Amino acid sequence: MYLFDDRSWRTQMIDLKPHGTGMLLARWNTRWEFSNEQEYSSDKWDAQETTTVSADGQVEVKSVFAGPRGASTEPLHTRTSGPSSTPVRRFAAPVESFLCPAPEFGDWQVFVPFLAQQGHEPATTVVLNDVSPRYRGSN
């Protein structure tokens, strides 16, 4: 699943895997930050954070920063600039924190928590109209 910001830039990718009956595990969650449109168009991110979750709740968070002196794995809140030897963060968490119900076809509501992580506030209701396709051509 890809999430987009208000500029229609792809800023997050979440890989979901079946977990148990009727649930999906967000096993990879990668977020990108871009400083301008040219860098976005070139797929040159300023920061990339990838969270990996195992089926038993082992979490690994790796942050990589592109800067004038190369990539850094230092967390965003402590980064100054340039490369870093800061280790990848690893910890245990309840696997339930990374689960969502497997949706039925057309049920996008189960993904709302992922949108909320990026600050989006989806409408409480969406009206979908089932229409017959119109075929163009000669008969």
Side-chain angles (χ1 to χ4, degrees):
M1 170 174 55
Y2 290 102
L3 299 177
F4 297 83
D5 67 9
D6 294 336
R7 299 168 291 191
S8 297
W9 293 5
R10 184 185 63 185
T11 58
Q12 189 171 359
M13 177 187 71
I14 302 170
D15 184 67
L16 300 160
K17 175 183 180 180
H19 183 85
T21 304
M23 299 300 284
L24 297 174
L25 171 66
R27 65 178 176 169
W28 288 305
N29 187 338
T30 301
R31 297 174 194 224
W32 300 277
E33 292 179 19
F34 300 93
S35 59
N36 59 52
E37 188 172 350
Q38 181 179 4
E39 289 190 8
Y40 175 77
S41 297
S42 302
D43 203 24
K44 294 181 181 177
W45 41 262
D46 293 324
Q48 174 181 285
E49 180 178 84
T50 302
T51 302
T52 306
V53 181
S54 69
D56 63 350
Q58 295 302 307
V59 180
E60 177 180 286
V61 180
K62 181 179 181 182
S63 298
V64 180
F65 300 89
R69 291 183 279 175
S72 169
T73 57
E74 194 171 357
L76 182 61
H77 63 280
T78 60
R79 180 172 72 109
T80 54
S81 67
S84 170
S85 60
T86 303
V88 173
R89 293 178 287 150
R90 292 183 178 90
F91 55 93
V95 74
E96 293 78 20
S97 302
F98 303 94
L99 295 176
C100 73
E104 295 294 324
F105 181 79
D107 179 16
W108 59 273
Q109 291 288 334
V110 299
F111 301 116
V112 168
F114 297 113
L115 295 170
Q117 288 175 359
Q118 286 196 306
H120 294 290
E121 294 182 31
T124 55
T125 61
V126 173
V127 177
L128 300 175
N129 296 314
D130 188 14
V131 296
S132 298
R134 293 184 182 169
Y135 296 100
R136 294 186 178 214
S138 59
N139 288 344

